[in-house]
């Protein structure tokens, strides 16, 4: 575990750049937000993009999932949001080259209450975390907690776009309209530039008729707003959190790793980039 104290040597910029900021959000739990954040981030990093994950969930699963023990941290995103700590003090390198993280901790549970009376409370994450780091990375991914509370609103205010993982199971689209309403509200009042990056179908089991029906329903309802790439149920993806590494770093040949590498390539192409996989 190594704190960067600023950009790592490999991240020296040769041109002016501003990261695209993507919030990974869905107020439903268990749909694969953290799994998507970790593995999309690692896949983009493997494709030689400089990536930062911001863990904005008190459960800190993204933090532990990239090999940073939350209980051993000297500082986390909480200290930046609430105590005004310089965010560069809590940027950590991971075992994945090109991938850094601003970690979370259980302290973040109280952040929404502590921010409630703050001036421009919806902009705290943007101003204290995202903007100071934006010129050091190509992509910044924010792992949101499963709610539409103040921390998620902060993430949507700071983001350029929202990526929405949707589980290929019963009630998959339940609550999606509520999330869309929240996105519209943020667009109207806080962040007019916010876009929908796409809807990602996850935890897909092609043997199940219901899963195939969900895919059909999402594609018929959202068309090209849904990613072509689908994340299948895969044992390697499920095992990765226990090993505290992204699946692409554990078994690059597994179906789960290939799914996320394909997603990263589709994501880059959608953002106007040329993709070459070495």
């Amino acid at each position: 575990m190594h704190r960067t104290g600023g950009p790592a040597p490999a991240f020296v910029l040769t041109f002016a750049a501003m990261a695209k900021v993507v919030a990974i959000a869905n107020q439903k739990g268990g749909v694969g937000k953290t799994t998507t954040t970790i593995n999309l981030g690692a896949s983009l990093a493997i494709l030689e993009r400089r990536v930062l994950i911001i863990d904005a969930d008190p459960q800190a699963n993204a933090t532990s999932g990239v090999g940073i023990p939350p209980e051993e941290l000297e500082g986390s995103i909480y200290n930046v949001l609430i105590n005004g700590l310089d965010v560069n003090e809590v940027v950590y390198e991971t075992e994945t080259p090109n991938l850094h993280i601003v970690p979370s901790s259980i302290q973040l549970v109280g952040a929404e209450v502590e921010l409630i009376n703050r001036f421009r409370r919806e902009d705290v994450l943007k101003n204290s975390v995202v903007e100071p780091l934006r010129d050091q990375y190509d992509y910044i991914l924010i792992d949101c907690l499963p709610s539409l509370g103040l921390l998620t609103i902060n993430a949507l205010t700071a983001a350029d776009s929202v990526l929405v993982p949707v589980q290929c199971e019963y009630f998959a689209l339940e609550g999606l309209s509520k999330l869309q309403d929240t996105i519209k509200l943020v667009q109207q009042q806080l962040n007019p530039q916010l876009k929908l990056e796409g809807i990602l179908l996850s935890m897909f089991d092609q043997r199940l008729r219901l899963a195939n029906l969900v895919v059909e329903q999402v594609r018929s309802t959202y068309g090209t707003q849904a990613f072509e790439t689908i994340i299948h149920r895969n044992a390697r993806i499920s095992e990765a959190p226990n090993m505290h590494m992204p699946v692409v770093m554990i078994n690059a040949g597994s179906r789960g790793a290939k799914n996320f590498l394909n997603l990263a390539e589709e994501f880059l192409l959608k953002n106007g980039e040329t993709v070459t996989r070495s």
Side-chain angles (χ1 to χ4, degrees):
M1 184 172 66
H2 176 65
R3 187 158 43 185
T4 68
F11 278 28
V12 173
L13 298 182
T14 57
F15 56 90
M18 292 292 280
K20 179 169 187 178
V21 183
V22 183
I24 317 292
N26 190 328
Q27 76 271 22
K28 284 180 64 64
V31 298
K33 288 187 296 298
T34 299
T35 297
T36 299
T37 304
I38 292 171
N39 290 293
L40 174 58
S43 297
L44 290 169
I46 285 171
L47 294 173
E48 300 184 343
R49 272 57 177 190
R50 301 159 302 161
V51 182
L52 175 70
I53 290 173
I54 296 174
D55 191 349
D57 186 342
Q59 296 177 89
N61 290 332
T63 301
S64 62
V66 296
I68 307 294
E71 65 278 3
E72 296 180 14
L73 294 172
E74 295 178 12
S76 71
I77 191 173
Y78 172 85
N79 304 102
V80 179
L81 296 177
I82 304 303
N83 301 327
L85 182 67
D86 184 339
V87 69
N88 287 287
E89 295 296 315
V90 293
V91 177
Y92 289 80
E93 295 179 357
T94 75
E95 294 294 324
T96 306
N98 300 325
L99 182 65
H100 292 175
I101 188 167
V102 173
S104 185
S105 70
I106 192 63
Q107 288 178 297
L108 196 61
V109 167
E112 292 197 350
V113 174
E114 295 178 77
L115 288 172
I116 201 73
N117 293 319
R118 184 82 66 88
F119 176 68
R120 296 187 65 177
R121 61 193 178 192
E122 298 89 356
D123 290 327
V124 177
L125 180 66
K126 177 181 179 180
N127 294 335
S128 63
V129 180
V130 172
E131 292 304 326
L133 298 173
R134 195 161 185 157
D135 64 353
Q136 299 175 25
Y137 297 92
D138 298 309
Y139 293 97
I140 295 175
L141 307 181
I142 307 175
D143 185 30
C144 299
L145 71 170
S147 80
L148 295 178
L150 185 55
L151 285 174
T152 300
I153 297 299
N154 262 262
L156 297 178
T157 302
D160 298 306
S161 64
V162 190
L163 191 157
V164 185
V166 174
Q167 194 173 3
C168 293
E169 293 187 357
Y170 195 60
F171 293 137
L173 303 184
E174 183 186 79
L176 192 53
S177 61
K178 187 174 181 181
L179 177 60
Q180 289 177 302
D181 289 342
T182 301
I183 292 171
K184 288 177 183 176
L185 191 64
V186 171
Q187 289 170 328
Q188 291 167 2
Q189 299 186 11
L190 299 166
N191 185 3
Q193 284 73 46
L194 184 64
K195 308 291 185 186
L196 177 64
E197 186 70 31
I199 295 171
L200 176 65
L201 290 153
S202 68
M203 303 182 187
F204 176 66
D205 186 339
Q206 62 189 20
R207 299 168 299 179
L208 301 179
R209 181 172 177 271
L210 177 59
N212 288 281
L213 289 174
V214 169
V215 171
E216 290 177 16
Q217 184 179 3
V218 169
R219 296 217 185 282
S220 64
T221 303
Y222 295 97
T224 57
Q225 290 183 315
F227 284 97
E228 284 293 324
T229 304
I230 295 175
I231 308 301
H232 292 72
R233 282 197 179 277
N234 179 261
R236 293 292 177 265
I237 294 176
S238 300
E239 293 165 1
N242 291 329
M243 301 177 73
H244 306 295
M245 292 183 73
V247 67
V248 291
M249 294 294 287
I250 297 170
N251 187 339
S254 67
R255 188 176 197 179
K258 290 177 180 177
N259 282 173
F260 277 109
L261 283 166
N262 289 338
L263 175 64
E265 291 182 348
E266 183 180 354
F267 175 92
L268 290 172
L269 289 170
K270 189 173 182 180
N271 282 283
E273 292 210 48
T274 301
V275 177
T276 54
R277 193 190 296 189
S278 57

